[in-house]
Amino acid sequence: MTEDLKYMKRAMSLAKRGAGWVNPNPVVGAVIVKEGRIIGEGFHKYFGGPHAEVNAINAAKEPVAGSTMYVTLEPCAHEGKTPPCANLIAANKISRVVVGMTDPNPLVNGKGIDYLKSQGIIVESGMMEEQIVRMNDIFNKFIRTRLPYVVIKSAMTLDGKIATVTNASRWITGETSRRMVHRLRHQLSAVMIGVDTVLFDDPLLNIRLKGNWKNPLKIIADTHGRIPIDANVLKNDPQLTIIATTDLTAKEKLKTLERMGCQVLVCPVKNGKVDLCSLMRLLGTMDIDSVMIEGGSTLAFSALQEGIVDKVISFIAPKILGGTNAPTAVGGKGIEKMEDSLNLRNMRTTKMGDDIMVEAWI
């Protein structure tokens, strides 16, 4: 069992390398062990590419017959963008497969394990399942609901302010926290802000780290089409920009945005704003499996109020700003009764330089 844990942890480590590249697929890692030695390993590297099991078998230094494969997700048993992995495992005479989690995809969901067993292969499932399920939170929600996994990200002072009374917000958190935010932008398919954040901060919403990273889609919630034509999100990679608006925006403005290369989504109006539930359904049809809401406070409250949020990540800096009118991470009209507050669960904290990153699930 100790050896099994060791190899499954290695498979998990490999799986994480695919984060951000494989969406809307899950991250998966595989390790092949023979006579106490790792002879092959692999992970799902990019959407549409070979699965982890295929890469592990192809990387093997010797024949894999009689070996044990550790794989974080149940091998597929259906023909998708690639051939079934369960068939490949059986064809290569791997004798034992240790699986982390069952695939929630209805096309698989136990069929891969059943096929392996029908071929006389020993299958053990549930190894480090809780951690692997958490690692694939995005996939697990999207494959079941076709709705994006939504994260609210905020950076605040210890007294809960996201900017000063004059709306100055650069920089509340330190460099370590800001690097983590860029990594999160890579891991999720899209980042989303309200148009007020564009007007106040004019952000780029791209990734500014050294190395090979994938810039996210940029979604601007803009009910009345107030986004300036010279905004940074429009000047830089406009083809990655989605303007979520309503028919309250002038048609000429919509045409201008489309001519610039943006994609315009005209959503219904709800409470005088873009209907966020309708927007999420539209994004799901576009295979956008995850969204990180980065600002502002009104959008954050609306998202929480509409029940579309799955996770909250707050970066808290050891600073005090004060100011009755200084903005906070969540604005809107607020909740009147304490018993109606949104309760979070499984909260965990991580030190980020001088800051603290708090993660919690709704």
Side-chain angles (χ1 to χ4, degrees):
M1 181 62 77
T2 302
E3 288 295 293
D4 285 344
L5 284 172
K6 179 178 78 172
Y7 295 127
M8 187 58 78
K9 285 179 180 177
R10 174 58 184 167
M12 288 176 62
S13 177
L14 290 166
K16 291 175 183 177
R17 296 185 190 178
W21 297 111
V22 300
N23 306 56
N25 280 353
V27 294
V28 186
V31 174
I32 302 172
V33 177
K34 192 172 186 179
E35 298 172 357
R37 298 171 291 110
I38 294 178
I39 62 169
E41 56 183 30
F43 64 98
H44 187 28
K45 294 182 179 181
Y46 57 91
F47 178 71
H51 288 185
E53 301 93 321
V54 177
N55 286 331
I57 289 170
N58 289 341
K61 305 167 190 173
E62 59 186 84
V64 299
S67 65
T68 295
M69 173 180 282
Y70 298 83
V71 60
T72 56
L73 183 73
E74 173 187 5
C76 60
H78 70 291
E79 190 86 28
K81 289 186 177 298
T82 59
C85 292
N87 297 44
L88 182 68
I89 291 168
N92 279 273
K93 302 188 185 307
I94 291 173
S95 58
R96 177 174 175 250
V97 177
V98 180
V99 175
M101 65 172 277
T102 304
D103 193 336
N105 185 343
L107 294 174
V108 185
N109 199 235
K111 297 182 179 70
I113 289 174
D114 289 344
Y115 177 80
L116 293 174
K117 287 180 177 178
S118 75
Q119 300 302 302
I121 297 170
I122 298 169
V123 181
E124 297 169 25
S125 59
M127 175 69 63
M128 301 191 71
E129 184 174 23
E130 186 177 341
Q131 297 94 319
I132 293 169
V133 167
R134 177 64 69 211
M135 189 171 68
N136 273 306
D137 271 348
I138 293 172
F139 172 74
N140 292 333
K141 179 185 179 181
F142 189 70
I143 198 66
R144 290 186 175 108
T145 67
R146 301 302 295 180
L147 294 172
Y149 188 86
V150 179
V151 177
I152 287 182
K153 187 279 297 180
S154 61
M156 67 180 75
T157 60
L158 198 57
D159 59 337
K161 306 299 183 181
I162 61 171
T164 69
V165 290
T166 61
N167 276 306
S169 60
R170 296 181 182 173
W171 296 104
I172 285 177
T173 54
E175 188 177 337
T176 304
S177 295
R178 297 199 298 273
R179 282 201 303 268
M180 175 56 74
V181 170
H182 284 263
R183 292 191 194 100
L184 290 170
R185 287 178 180 176
H186 168 80
Q187 291 171 14
L188 281 81
S189 295
V191 296
M192 180 174 171
I193 59 173
V195 70
D196 284 342
T197 301
V198 176
L199 296 172
F200 284 128
D201 295 338
D202 198 19
L204 289 163
L205 299 181
N206 59 0
I207 296 175
R208 299 181 296 279
L209 297 174
K210 292 181 180 178
N212 189 24
W213 304 90
K214 175 180 62 67
N215 278 321
L217 294 168
K218 301 168 287 185
I219 303 171
I220 314 300
D222 185 5
T223 305
H224 297 92
R226 293 187 293 138
I227 187 167
I229 297 303
D230 61 350
N232 277 327
V233 290
L234 300 183
K235 290 190 296 185
N236 295 273
D237 297 325
Q239 72 278 5
L240 292 179
T241 302
I242 296 171
I243 306 297
T245 188
T246 69
D247 57 11
L248 298 175
T249 296
K251 286 183 170 52
E252 190 54 44
K253 182 68 173 284
L254 298 181
K255 291 177 182 176
T256 299
L257 292 168
E258 289 175 335
R259 281 196 295 268
M260 294 178 71
C262 303
Q263 183 160 357
V264 175
L265 299 181
V266 179
C267 305
V269 179
K270 185 174 183 180
N271 299 323
K273 298 181 178 66
V274 170
D275 184 336
L276 295 179
C277 291
S278 293
L279 173 59
M280 291 304 122
R281 288 193 291 270
L282 277 172
L283 296 177
T285 64
M286 298 163 65
D287 267 354
I288 297 172
D289 67 350
S290 49
V291 176
M292 182 163 68
I293 297 175
E294 293 206 31
S297 62
T298 302
L299 176 60
F301 181 76
S302 296
L304 291 164
Q305 190 177 40
E306 292 300 315
I308 66 170
V309 181
D310 300 283
K311 184 179 181 180
V312 175
I313 301 178
S314 294
F315 294 87
I316 303 173
K319 297 175 182 177
I320 300 288
L321 285 177
T324 302
N325 296 321
T328 56
V330 181
K333 69 176 185 178
I335 293 171
E336 295 181 1
K337 298 178 182 179
M338 185 59 71
E339 54 265 32
D340 294 333
S341 63
L342 293 169
N343 293 316
L344 307 181
R345 59 186 174 82
N346 298 334
M347 189 175 75
R348 63 188 187 192
T349 61
T350 307
K351 196 83 165 61
M352 290 282 161
D354 292 332
D355 307 328
I356 294 174
M357 180 176 73
V358 180
E359 300 173 89
W361 286 260
I362 292 180

